[in-house]
Amino acid sequence: MTIELWMRSEVRATERRAPITPADAASLVREGFAVTVERSAQRVHPIEDYAAAGCSVADEGSWVDAPGDAVVVGLKELPEDPPALRHRHVFFGHAYKQQEGAERLLRRFDAGGGVLLDLEYLTDDSGRRLAAFGYWAGYVGAALAVLHHRGELDAPLRPTSVPELDARLAGGAPLNAVVVGALGRCGRGADRALTAAGVTPTRWDLAETRDLDRSALLRHDVMVNAVLTSSPVPPFLRPADLDAPGRVLRTLCDVTCDVGSPFNVLPIYDRTTSWESPARALRDEPPLDLIAIDNLPSLVPLEATDAFSADLLPLLLDLPRSTSPWQRCERLFHDTVTSMKEASR
């Protein structure tokens, strides 16, 4: 059975990553997949490398006219049109935790008969995510937090590389940092950046967050949140905590950016920040600045793309067999749409 994969261009101007590298696209072609790649002026890998790998080349946004059985693969949000989505789509849909726009997206799929196979829910039997950008998100988030705390973060942000960021981090003044969720992918990436900056962070994970000591959190200069939950938990910080006497915390990076979700562990802000304005003040006196950028790995697009594509490749090779990770994704989509329709009756 031949499957056509259609890798779309990304509509977000700051998205440099791709879900599939040219080398991994070549592996798919060798295995009998038909791979089409849309042109993109911003993607880290040039279109010529995909063509050399045996992929067909298409114009930006042409996925809307792709054959109905094509699987459209991307990373971030879809454009607002068309209103009805008829293909199977693989990307991070952010559609299952009551995020803003989630219901509208699911209704577009329902209207067109398409299916969302959300990368965030592509998991093994134990629930562990199989393809994720978390490590590089944590690395970049912690790096930006350190540079901002030192007064060395330039805006607008521009794509860079890990060696360049490591070099910028080295040799700065000491600081006291905490990583919450330190044992996961994201936390390990944050730890790497802090280590490059000469910082030995406080490392918190499940044991420390079960019985949370908020006053201890506030005694750090920098906090990096690497915890993403799928069920409600007591918030790590509340608005009143930001006004606690003696607060030391000056820079907070929320890597997970779960703003708008009822599962948000940091309900102290209402909007993310951006490459143009990476930090914003939550408090003026004493100061507390927030970094909450929802595509951090795109700032190290080559390393992030290469690592993610390596994770995704074996899963894409299994797509014709509809193995259990893909079945779970599809079942979650159908169950959620059914519940949504029943709730609106």
Side-chain angles (χ1 to χ4, degrees), residues 21 46 54-56 89 109 124 141 172 211 217 244 255 280 287 303-304 315 320:
T21 64
C55 302
S56 300
H89 280 259
F109 277 105
D124 64 14
D211 186 17
L217 276 183
V255 177
R280 72 179 182 91
E303 292 90 346
L315 297 162

Side-chain angles (χ1 to χ4, degrees), residues 242-272:
L242 308 189
D243 299 313
R247 169 175 55 81
V248 174
L249 187 65
R250 297 292 183 269
T251 304
L252 167 61
C253 179
D254 185 13
V255 177
T256 58
C257 293
D258 220 9
V259 61
S261 165
F263 311 139
N264 184 13
V265 297
L266 290 174
I268 55 175
Y269 69 99
D270 59 0
R271 65 185 186 278
T272 57

Side-chain angles (χ1 to χ4, degrees), residues 16 28 30 40-41 54 57 77 90 93 100 102 129-130 139 171 177 196-197 203 209 224 287 298 300 303 323 338 344:
R16 304 291 191 267
L28 289 162
R30 285 194 296 271
S40 171
V57 175
E77 65 272 10
V90 176
E100 182 180 355
R129 287 174 62 179
L130 296 172
Y139 170 83
R203 300 177 178 94
T209 54
V224 180
S298 194
V300 287
E303 292 90 346
T323 52
T338 297
S344 64

Side-chain angles (χ1 to χ4, degrees), residues 98-142:
Q98 302 174 41
Q99 297 100 322
E100 182 180 355
E103 183 173 338
R104 182 169 64 253
L105 175 65
L106 293 174
R107 290 194 182 281
R108 291 172 68 190
F109 277 105
D110 187 47
V115 173
L116 168 61
L117 300 172
D118 196 312
L119 287 165
E120 185 176 340
Y121 297 88
L122 195 59
T123 63
D124 64 14
D125 292 341
S126 68
R128 184 183 67 88
R129 287 174 62 179
L130 296 172
F133 285 101
Y135 183 88
W136 292 116
Y139 170 83
V140 175

Side-chain angles (χ1 to χ4, degrees), residues 95-96 101-111 332-345:
Y96 299 128
E103 183 173 338
R104 182 169 64 253
L105 175 65
L106 293 174
R107 290 194 182 281
R108 291 172 68 190
F109 277 105
D110 187 47
L332 175 62
F333 167 77
H334 287 300
D335 289 348
T336 305
V337 169
T338 297
S339 297
M340 178 185 71
K341 292 163 75 172
E342 289 175 351
S344 64
R345 286 175 184 166

